[in-house]
PDB file of all heavy atoms in Angstrom:
ATOM      1  N   LYS A 242       5.051 -27.730  11.257  1.00  0.00           N
ATOM      2  CA  LYS A 242       3.590 -27.892  11.255  1.00  0.00           C
ATOM      3  C   LYS A 242       2.875 -26.823  10.430  1.00  0.00           C
ATOM      4  O   LYS A 242       1.784 -27.063   9.909  1.00  0.00           O
ATOM      5  CB  LYS A 242       3.061 -27.865  12.695  1.00  0.00           C
ATOM      6  CG  LYS A 242       3.530 -29.037  13.540  1.00  0.00           C
ATOM      7  CD  LYS A 242       2.990 -28.932  14.950  1.00  0.00           C
ATOM      8  CE  LYS A 242       3.489 -30.086  15.815  1.00  0.00           C
ATOM      9  NZ  LYS A 242       3.051 -29.940  17.232  1.00  0.00           N
ATOM     10  N   LYS A 243       3.496 -25.644  10.301  1.00  0.00           N
ATOM     11  CA  LYS A 243       2.886 -24.545   9.535  1.00  0.00           C
ATOM     12  C   LYS A 243       3.963 -23.922   8.645  1.00  0.00           C
ATOM     13  O   LYS A 243       4.443 -22.821   8.912  1.00  0.00           O
ATOM     14  CB  LYS A 243       2.297 -23.490  10.478  1.00  0.00           C
ATOM     15  CG  LYS A 243       1.198 -23.992  11.389  1.00  0.00           C
ATOM     16  CD  LYS A 243       0.499 -22.836  12.119  1.00  0.00           C
ATOM     17  CE  LYS A 243       1.435 -22.100  13.041  1.00  0.00           C
ATOM     18  NZ  LYS A 243       0.795 -20.964  13.732  1.00  0.00           N
ATOM     19  N   PRO A 244       4.350 -24.606   7.575  1.00  0.00           N
ATOM     20  CA  PRO A 244       5.524 -24.185   6.803  1.00  0.00           C
ATOM     21  C   PRO A 244       5.382 -22.852   6.080  1.00  0.00           C
ATOM     22  O   PRO A 244       6.400 -22.275   5.673  1.00  0.00           O
ATOM     23  CB  PRO A 244       5.719 -25.335   5.804  1.00  0.00           C
ATOM     24  CG  PRO A 244       4.400 -26.022   5.728  1.00  0.00           C
ATOM     25  CD  PRO A 244       3.793 -25.884   7.080  1.00  0.00           C
ATOM     26  N   THR A 245       4.178 -22.344   5.904  1.00  0.00           N
ATOM     27  CA  THR A 245       4.028 -21.050   5.219  1.00  0.00           C
ATOM     28  C   THR A 245       3.723 -19.912   6.189  1.00  0.00           C
ATOM     29  O   THR A 245       3.541 -18.769   5.764  1.00  0.00           O
ATOM     30  CB  THR A 245       2.907 -21.106   4.157  1.00  0.00           C
ATOM     31  OG1 THR A 245       1.643 -21.332   4.801  1.00  0.00           O
ATOM     32  CG2 THR A 245       3.178 -22.204   3.141  1.00  0.00           C
ATOM     33  N   SER A 246       3.705 -20.186   7.476  1.00  0.00           N
ATOM     34  CA  SER A 246       3.327 -19.181   8.470  1.00  0.00           C
ATOM     35  C   SER A 246       4.496 -18.281   8.847  1.00  0.00           C
ATOM     36  O   SER A 246       5.622 -18.739   9.027  1.00  0.00           O
ATOM     37  CB  SER A 246       2.806 -19.884   9.730  1.00  0.00           C
ATOM     38  OG  SER A 246       2.405 -18.951  10.706  1.00  0.00           O
ATOM     39  N   LEU A 247       4.214 -16.964   8.955  1.00  0.00           N
ATOM     40  CA  LEU A 247       5.201 -15.982   9.393  1.00  0.00           C
ATOM     41  C   LEU A 247       4.646 -15.198  10.574  1.00  0.00           C
ATOM     42  O   LEU A 247       3.451 -14.890  10.619  1.00  0.00           O
ATOM     43  CB  LEU A 247       5.534 -14.990   8.276  1.00  0.00           C
ATOM     44  CG  LEU A 247       6.231 -15.518   7.032  1.00  0.00           C
ATOM     45  CD1 LEU A 247       6.385 -14.395   6.012  1.00  0.00           C
ATOM     46  CD2 LEU A 247       7.590 -16.127   7.374  1.00  0.00           C
ATOM     47  N   VAL A 248       5.529 -14.849  11.509  1.00  0.00           N
ATOM     48  CA  VAL A 248       5.118 -13.990  12.618  1.00  0.00           C
ATOM     49  C   VAL A 248       6.285 -13.075  12.993  1.00  0.00           C
ATOM     50  O   VAL A 248       7.453 -13.485  12.996  1.00  0.00           O
ATOM     51  CB  VAL A 248       4.644 -14.804  13.840  1.00  0.00           C
ATOM     52  CG1 VAL A 248       5.772 -15.623  14.455  1.00  0.00           C
ATOM     53  CG2 VAL A 248       3.971 -13.910  14.872  1.00  0.00           C
ATOM     54  N   ALA A 249       5.943 -11.828  13.270  1.00  0.00           N
ATOM     55  CA  ALA A 249       6.956 -10.839  13.658  1.00  0.00           C
ATOM     56  C   ALA A 249       7.460 -11.117  15.064  1.00  0.00           C
ATOM     57  O   ALA A 249       6.766 -11.731  15.896  1.00  0.00           O
ATOM     58  CB  ALA A 249       6.358  -9.439  13.586  1.00  0.00           C
ATOM     59  N   ASP A 250       8.660 -10.632  15.337  1.00  0.00           N
ATOM     60  CA  ASP A 250       9.190 -10.630  16.696  1.00  0.00           C
ATOM     61  C   ASP A 250       8.684  -9.357  17.367  1.00  0.00           C
ATOM     62  O   ASP A 250       9.251  -8.283  17.198  1.00  0.00           O
ATOM     63  CB  ASP A 250      10.714 -10.662  16.670  1.00  0.00           C
ATOM     64  CG  ASP A 250      11.325 -10.628  18.070  1.00  0.00           C
ATOM     65  OD1 ASP A 250      10.572 -10.494  19.061  1.00  0.00           O
ATOM     66  OD2 ASP A 250      12.566 -10.717  18.161  1.00  0.00           O
ATOM     67  N   PHE A 251       7.599  -9.473  18.115  1.00  0.00           N
ATOM     68  CA  PHE A 251       6.931  -8.296  18.664  1.00  0.00           C
ATOM     69  C   PHE A 251       7.807  -7.541  19.671  1.00  0.00           C
ATOM     70  O   PHE A 251       7.551  -6.369  19.943  1.00  0.00           O
ATOM     71  CB  PHE A 251       5.598  -8.696  19.291  1.00  0.00           C
ATOM     72  CG  PHE A 251       4.625  -9.302  18.301  1.00  0.00           C
ATOM     73  CD1 PHE A 251       4.255 -10.633  18.408  1.00  0.00           C
ATOM     74  CD2 PHE A 251       4.107  -8.547  17.271  1.00  0.00           C
ATOM     75  CE1 PHE A 251       3.372 -11.198  17.490  1.00  0.00           C
ATOM     76  CE2 PHE A 251       3.224  -9.094  16.353  1.00  0.00           C
ATOM     77  CZ  PHE A 251       2.857 -10.435  16.465  1.00  0.00           C
ATOM     78  N   THR A 252       8.847  -8.188  20.190  1.00  0.00           N
ATOM     79  CA  THR A 252       9.742  -7.494  21.111  1.00  0.00           C
ATOM     80  C   THR A 252      10.589  -6.443  20.385  1.00  0.00           C
ATOM     81  O   THR A 252      11.205  -5.598  21.029  1.00  0.00           O
ATOM     82  CB  THR A 252      10.681  -8.470  21.847  1.00  0.00           C
ATOM     83  OG1 THR A 252      11.588  -9.063  20.906  1.00  0.00           O
ATOM     84  CG2 THR A 252       9.891  -9.569  22.552  1.00  0.00           C
ATOM     85  N   GLN A 253      10.617  -6.492  19.053  1.00  0.00           N
ATOM     86  CA  GLN A 253      11.427  -5.538  18.289  1.00  0.00           C
ATOM     87  C   GLN A 253      10.610  -4.371  17.724  1.00  0.00           C
ATOM     88  O   GLN A 253      11.117  -3.593  16.915  1.00  0.00           O
ATOM     89  CB  GLN A 253      12.148  -6.262  17.140  1.00  0.00           C
ATOM     90  CG  GLN A 253      13.177  -7.290  17.606  1.00  0.00           C
ATOM     91  CD  GLN A 253      14.118  -7.681  16.496  1.00  0.00           C
ATOM     92  OE1 GLN A 253      14.677  -6.827  15.808  1.00  0.00           O
ATOM     93  NE2 GLN A 253      14.307  -8.987  16.302  1.00  0.00           N
TER      94      GLN A 253
END
Side-chain angles (χ1 to χ4, degrees):
K242 295 179 182 176
K243 299 190 296 179
T245 64
S246 181
L247 295 176
V248 65
D250 179 356
F251 298 113
T252 67
Q253 295 196 49

